[in-house]
Amino acid sequence: MRNPFLASAAVVMTVAALAACGSSADGNGPEAAGAQRPAASGPAVPGPSATTPTTPATPAAPTAPATEEPAVPGPSAPPATAEGPKTPSDEITPATGTFTKKQKEYLEDRVPKGMDPAAVLQTGQETCDKLRYLVKADRDTAVGAIATQEIPDAPAAVAGLCPLHQDLVDEAAYAYADGTHTGKTVRPGVYRSASPTSNCSWQIEGAGSKELASGTSDTGKSRKITIPKSARTFTSTGCYAWLAEGAKG
């Protein structure tokens, strides 16, 4: 009886041993799988560290203001205008060809350092072209454009490049642009409005701001007014310019 018991005990022990081996094998399997999971989750861990480099990348955002600053240097352009240093007259030469005597006289003291003199010359020639066009369309408008400085630097361009329009410049010297004129700028005489709008108004005052004359016009047609010798202030709005009757310069 002892032998069968021992045999059965041995069997039980053997089964237990095999079970233990089986469980240990299963245990190794999960551990191996567990070893792979950390490896898979490992990249997830570096992932956050990868995000951390992106947060340092955010400091790059401060470089955005740097892109705004280049807009600030924009105002540095004005120094390159007429207020900047000029190219000496003996150094003013075109890239190709030559300048005429009149063109050289016009360009003298007008070419900023580093600027192509041909570009400055072209601006003056464009002024002459505008005046030539306006004279054909309406002479009063051409004179008014000079008086109001709508065409800037016209006197210089005319004197140097298109002297045939000098009469326009001379007449504009006696004209009134919209605005308030006082003191010696107020000259007595008869004036006509050039290219007035449909909302043209004027007022003439004497000593002590006493109103001497005033009027309005909504027709858009030229009107005539007389500025007396007693006038001290002349104000115009929406009339564009007033040209002196019979002005010859």
Side-chain angles (χ1 to χ4, degrees):
M1 294 297 294
R2 289 181 182 178
N3 291 337
F5 176 80
L6 291 176
S8 63
V11 172
V12 172
M13 291 180 64
T14 302
V15 172
L18 291 174
C21 292
S23 63
S24 63
D26 292 341
N28 290 336
E31 286 176 7
Q36 291 176 355
R37 287 175 187 172
S41 61
V45 176
S49 64
T51 55
T52 48
T54 55
T55 49
T58 52
T63 58
T67 57
E68 296 176 0
E69 290 183 3
V72 178
S76 62
T81 59
E83 299 303 324
K86 305 297 187 301
T87 301
S89 56
D90 58 346
E91 296 180 11
I92 298 177
T93 55
T96 59
T98 58
F99 289 133
T100 65
K101 182 180 179 181
K102 278 288 186 181
Q103 290 173 337
K104 287 183 178 180
E105 291 176 354
Y106 171 74
L107 292 173
E108 189 172 356
D109 295 329
R110 290 182 178 280
V111 182
K113 272 282 190 181
M115 179 175 285
D116 183 1
V120 179
L121 180 62
Q122 182 179 354
T123 299
Q125 290 174 333
E126 288 175 353
T127 295
C128 291
D129 291 341
K130 291 177 182 178
L131 290 175
R132 182 162 48 250
Y133 170 80
L134 287 176
V135 166
K136 292 180 179 179
D138 181 47
R139 189 179 187 281
D140 281 359
T141 300
V143 176
I146 298 174
T148 61
Q149 297 184 4
E150 183 177 342
I151 299 181
D153 206 25
V158 168
L161 303 174
C162 48
L164 70 161
H165 295 314
Q166 187 60 47
D167 60 325
L168 303 178
V169 174
D170 294 340
E171 188 173 341
Y174 290 86
Y176 290 106
D178 271 341
T180 299
H181 307 270
T182 60
K184 294 181 180 180
T185 61
V186 179
R187 298 176 298 274
V190 178
Y191 294 83
R192 68 182 182 279
S193 57
S195 302
T197 67
S198 58
N199 189 25
C200 172
S201 63
W202 63 89
Q203 184 176 32
I204 303 172
E205 297 179 341
S209 298
K210 180 182 178 181
E211 183 178 302
L212 302 179
S214 64
T216 61
S217 176
D218 59 2
T219 63
K221 296 181 178 180
S222 181
R223 295 291 299 271
K224 287 186 179 181
I225 61 172
T226 298
I227 298 180
K229 292 182 178 180
S230 57
R232 296 292 180 271
T233 302
F234 172 54
T235 302
S236 170
T237 303
C239 304
Y240 187 55
W242 296 88
L243 312 184
E245 286 283 294
K248 298 183 181 299

